[in-house]
Amino acid sequence: VGGTGSAWRNSFSLVIGGSGRSNSLAINNGGLVVDSQGTVGSGGSSKNSVLVSGVGSVWSNTGDLYIGTFGSGNSLTIQLTVGVFNRDAYIGFGSTSSSNSVRVLGDMNGLAATRWRAGVLHVGEQGTGNSLIISGSVVYATNLIVGVASATCDNLVQLDGGGVLAVTNATHDAVLEVRDGELILNSGTVQADILVITNACARFVRNGGTLIVRSEERRVGKECRSRW
C-alpha cells in the first residue's frame, strides 16, 4: 500500500499470515491501512512481517494489535513514518510464541517523525525472547509489562539512539512493570508514572540515557535511579 492517497480499509480484522509463514504487508510513502484488529502471524504461523515506512504512512487499528500468536519470528517494523496506532498490543501471545519483535526506528534527528501509540502493551505475554526495540523514535503506552507470564527471563525492551518510551496516562498512575525479562536503557529517555521491578526474573540495565519516574514500587537487580 504505497503512495499518498493509497488506502486499504477493513471493517473487521486484518491478519497477515493466518496459518502459513513468510507473508508480508508493506505500507510506505504515505500509504494508509485501517482495520478493527491487526494480527501479524496467527495460529502458530511464523516469519510473517509488516513494514510501515516513509513519511506520512499509517497503520491504524481501532482495536488490539497482535505480533505473533503462538508462532515465532513474526515482526513489525515502523520506520520514518507518522506511525502505528492501536488499543492494546501483544508482542508474543501464547505459551509457544517466541522471538517475535517490534522495532520502532527514527532518523535520530526528529523524534516526532516515528511513533507507536498503544494502550496496554505486553512484551512477551507468555512466550520467550520477544522484544521491543526503540531507536530515534517515540513509543507511548498507558501501561507496559515486560514478560507477563513467561517461563523464561528473556523478553526485552531496549532503547537506543535517543529513543523515548513514555508510559503515562491522564491520572498519572500508569505502570511500567519489568516482570520476566529486561529493560535496557542504552540512550534516550524512559518516562513512567510508576516503575515496578519485583521479580527475581527481572532486570533493569542502565548504560546511559535518562530514567524519569513518579514512583518506584520496589527494586530488584541492578541499580535503578529515578527522578521526576
Side-chain angles (χ1 to χ4, degrees):
V1 183
T4 302
S6 299
W8 181 8
R9 300 177 186 272
N10 292 273
S11 299
F12 301 103
S13 61
L14 172 62
V15 179
I16 308 302
S19 59
R21 56 184 292 155
S22 301
N23 302 283
S24 64
L25 166 67
I27 308 166
N28 54 54
N29 300 324
L32 170 67
V33 172
V34 179
D35 55 66
S36 61
Q37 176 178 294
T39 302
V40 184
S42 176
S45 60
S46 61
K47 296 185 178 180
N48 302 285
S49 64
V50 172
L51 171 64
V52 187
S53 66
V55 176
S57 300
V58 173
W59 185 14
S60 178
N61 304 273
T62 57
D64 298 339
L65 176 62
Y66 295 84
I67 310 299
T69 59
F70 297 95
S72 63
N74 300 288
S75 65
L76 166 64
T77 301
I78 310 164
Q79 184 172 15
L80 300 176
T81 184
V82 170
V84 172
F85 307 93
N86 48 265
R87 193 169 56 191
D88 298 338
Y90 305 86
I91 305 172
F93 185 89
S95 58
T96 59
S97 63
S98 65
S99 302
N100 301 287
S101 65
V102 174
R103 297 187 303 153
V104 190
L105 311 174
D107 61 2
M108 312 288 287
N109 295 315
L111 292 179
T114 306
R115 63 183 184 269
W116 181 23
R117 186 179 295 274
V120 177
L121 174 55
H122 290 176
V123 182
E125 176 72 19
Q126 291 180 309
T128 63
N130 301 289
S131 62
L132 166 62
I133 307 297
I134 305 166
S135 179
S137 54
V138 183
V139 173
Y140 302 95
T142 56
N143 284 286
L144 191 155
I145 302 176
V146 183
V148 177
S150 179
T152 60
C153 307
D154 58 356
N155 297 288
L156 172 69
V157 173
Q158 180 171 309
L159 276 80
D160 301 308
V164 175
L165 171 62
V167 183
T168 187
N169 58 24
T171 54
H172 297 295
D173 58 0
V175 177
L176 167 55
E177 180 178 357
V178 184
R179 189 177 296 177
D180 294 328
E182 289 185 300
L183 170 61
I184 299 177
L185 177 56
N186 289 323
S187 65
T189 302
V190 173
Q191 177 181 334
D193 296 332
I194 300 170
L195 175 63
V196 179
I197 306 176
T198 60
N199 194 327
C201 196
R203 295 179 66 216
F204 169 63
V205 179
R206 179 173 177 247
N207 298 315
T210 303
L211 173 65
I212 306 172
V213 298
R214 180 179 293 272
S215 173
E216 270 182 69
E217 297 283 318
R218 282 181 58 187
R219 291 182 290 183
V220 174
K222 296 203 172 186
E223 181 180 13
C224 174
R225 296 178 181 176
S226 63
R227 65 181 177 84
W228 184 256

